[in-house]
Amino acid sequence: MKNTLLLMIAVVAMTSCGNKTKTNAPDTDSTIVSEIPDTLHTVEAVERQVDAVYAYWNDLREHFDENRPSVDEQFGSKEWWRVRQEVAAIDRESESGSFFNFDDEGPLDPWTYDCYEGAISANDIEVTLLSDSTAEVRFLVKDAVTPKGIPIRWLMRLEDHQWRVANIFFVKDDNMDILMNMRNYIENNKKN
């Protein structure tokens, strides 16, 4: 009984010592978990992602590998990627052209418009962060023969901890909404 009593006193003594604040403790305690600021909700994070899109686009064009994801798959939202796949499936079956063949303009790429010469880049990027984890992004896409650039507008959203492109607008073509037009293209082909 005496041994049990001594053991209980020792346990109580050790527990109470562990709960006391040390006066010589350093100012920063490594056991305290502090909040990490959300660096994704910044203009800089969106700008980096826009630059990453064109770095990837240029690298993919220079070092084509059919096993690498397309720009649409790598940087588009899940909805964007799903709709692009549906459009591509229709285009493979079509004998009359494709969705991105814009008559007098010729074939246009949603990511570059008609910039294809040399390295493609986004310039004069303007980001407006919105309250619902989305961002509106305006910039000029440029290549070697289009030094003034072509205005493009993206709607981006945070998805899977990454900024992804949810929609692309061709500003010079009356803010043509590419996602809406792709959906219409799909619906029209279902009717036909």
Side-chain angles (χ1 to χ4, degrees), residues 94-179:
S94 175
E95 295 175 9
S96 61
S98 70
F99 173 78
F100 286 103
N101 190 2
F102 286 88
D103 300 324
D104 295 339
E105 297 285 343
L108 300 179
D109 184 299
W111 301 93
T112 65
Y113 197 78
D114 66 351
C115 294
Y116 299 102
E117 299 297 324
I120 311 300
S121 63
N123 297 266
D124 305 324
I125 302 170
E126 296 176 10
V127 176
T128 303
L129 293 174
L130 305 172
S131 61
D132 58 350
S133 295
T134 61
E136 183 178 39
V137 185
R138 294 174 180 271
F139 58 92
L140 297 173
V141 64
K142 295 182 180 182
D143 67 1
V145 297
T146 316
K148 289 185 177 182
I150 297 170
I152 298 279
R153 182 168 62 98
W154 288 354
L155 180 61
M156 298 181 76
R157 81 166 39 107
L158 273 174
E159 193 175 274
D160 299 330
H161 305 292
Q162 182 181 39
W163 282 104
R164 296 190 174 271
V165 177
N167 201 354
I168 297 175
F169 300 86
F170 288 165
V171 175
K172 76 179 252 178
D173 295 317
D174 297 321
N175 271 317
M176 178 191 277
D177 182 325
I178 301 301
L179 186 62

Side-chain angles (χ1 to χ4, degrees), residues 49-65:
Q49 189 70 339
V50 173
D51 289 336
V53 167
Y54 289 100
Y56 187 84
W57 196 93
N58 288 315
D59 187 60
L60 193 60
R61 186 175 63 169
E62 192 172 320
H63 305 99
F64 180 73
D65 178 353

Side-chain angles (χ1 to χ4, degrees), residues 29-40:
D29 185 354
S30 63
T31 61
I32 297 174
V33 177
S34 60
E35 284 189 33
I36 299 170
D38 187 359
T39 56
L40 280 176

